[in-house]
Amino acid sequence: MASVKRGQLASPPEWWKHLRRAKRTFRKSERLEEKWDTSRQLQEGVN
């Protein structure tokens, strides 16, 4: 981030750039976990 000077706070788009991939991966894994959990609960309820 060459456009940001030392001692200044970065604007939201600039600090978000380096976190985007990690947050996207985390949210995707959370959604998949929830999907698997609900399918397990449904299967247990049927048996």
Side-chain angles (χ1 to χ4, degrees):
M1 292 193 289
S3 62
V4 177
K5 304 283 188 253
R6 176 180 267 172
Q8 290 181 340
L9 294 176
S11 65
E14 291 176 5
W15 66 260
W16 172 253
K17 283 181 184 178
H18 73 282
L19 297 175
R20 189 178 304 153
R21 182 174 292 148
K23 285 188 175 194
R24 190 176 296 165
T25 304
F26 177 74
R27 298 292 180 217
K28 184 176 182 179
S29 64
E30 269 192 339
R31 287 193 306 269
L32 287 174
E33 177 88 20
E34 186 175 337
K35 185 178 178 181
W36 292 334
D37 190 38
T38 53
S39 66
R40 271 188 252 134
Q41 287 177 356
L42 288 173
Q43 287 178 353
E44 289 175 359
V46 171
N47 293 332

